Amino acid sequence: MEGTLISSKPCAKENSIDLTQITLRAFNLTDLNDVMVWTTDEKVAKFCSWEPYTSKDQGISFIEDTESKFLCCKAICLDDRAIGCMMMFSSDDKCRNKTAELGYHLGSKYWGKGIGTCAVKQIVNFAFSELSYLERLEALVDVENVGSQRVLQKAGFKMEGVLRKYLFMKEKSRDMTMFSVLSTDL
């Protein structure tokens, strides 16, 4: 999985961005300035567990440590510039070993251009082809994060329901919407 470049062949041109230029790849330290753009953005961090970064040391730690924390963690790239992040993680619960959870962040200036949907489609194809034991990918989205809900729906995820007061994050109990896609859905 390391060093794997995931191509965007199924995506097309939309909103003046050539989505065939969207790829997923491993992070490296040369991505630091690009990573700092979206990790310091309050709009991006709003629905995330982390606060906007305030130092390049945080960005370096993210690049150096993040890949080891996840089943898969890739930079979302436009023309090989890291404009966001796509990650999958799995539970230690043996009863859920055929499921992975999907998460992603994308720089706010790239919202609404089809990039998130394109990247999610790529990671879904990657997950079910390279991690053949997986049967289910799921994503939890804050009920107020309508844009992310649309991304998942356009990428083929089904909304399963709302989990009331599921998370306590940033001093607030949050309702989360559960989405999933199954290997048999493709």
Side-chain angles (χ1 to χ4, degrees):
M1 231 171 11
E2 286 190 39
T4 303
L5 178 70
I6 304 172
S7 175
S8 62
K9 300 296 184 227
C11 300
K13 194 168 189 165
E14 184 177 308
N15 296 330
S16 75
I17 290 183
D18 183 359
L19 296 178
T20 63
Q21 299 303 308
I22 303 300
T23 56
L24 304 178
R25 63 158 170 80
F27 282 97
N28 55 63
L29 285 176
T30 60
D31 294 323
L32 180 59
N33 289 334
D34 293 330
V35 166
M36 292 305 293
V37 170
W38 50 270
T39 58
T40 59
D41 186 337
E42 289 184 19
K43 289 185 261 181
V44 175
K46 179 179 179 179
F47 295 112
C48 299
S49 60
W50 45 271
E51 295 295 335
Y53 287 11
T54 56
S55 75
K56 284 195 172 189
D57 287 339
Q58 289 174 292
I60 291 168
S61 292
F62 171 82
I63 291 168
E64 291 180 339
D65 302 335
T66 198
E67 200 153 335
S68 65
K69 294 179 183 177
F70 298 100
L71 181 61
C72 176
C73 181
K74 302 292 180 191
I76 301 171
C77 297
L78 173 60
D79 296 322
D80 205 40
R81 298 200 58 185
I83 61 169
C85 178
M86 181 74 56
M87 68 284 260
M88 289 189 306
F89 43 100
S90 57
S91 169
D92 292 333
D93 183 348
K94 290 181 182 178
C95 294
R96 294 183 39 84
N97 66 358
K98 293 189 178 288
T99 298
E101 187 172 338
L102 178 67
Y104 49 89
H105 316 294
L106 184 64
S108 61
K109 82 179 216 175
Y110 298 103
W111 294 355
K113 300 180 184 314
I115 294 169
T117 302
C118 182
V120 169
K121 286 178 180 180
Q122 288 180 51
I123 203 72
V124 167
N125 290 334
F126 171 80
F128 290 133
S129 64
E130 298 298 319
L131 307 172
S132 58
Y133 63 90
L134 283 181
E135 293 180 350
R136 173 186 169 91
L137 274 179
E138 61 188 29
L140 285 168
V141 180
D142 193 296
V143 294
E144 296 176 12
N145 191 345
V146 176
S148 192
Q149 291 177 38
R150 277 195 308 264
V151 163
L152 291 167
Q153 290 170 327
K154 287 179 180 180
F157 281 69
K158 306 286 185 240
M159 188 186 81
E160 295 184 333
V162 174
L163 305 173
R164 298 178 304 149
K165 301 205 181 298
Y166 188 75
L167 294 178
F168 185 79
M169 189 170 64
K170 297 184 177 177
E171 306 300 318
K172 179 181 172 184
S173 290
R174 295 177 180 265
D175 294 347
M176 303 298 286
T177 306
M178 175 66 79
F179 288 86
S180 72
V181 64
L182 305 179
S183 59
T184 55
D185 292 341
L186 304 179

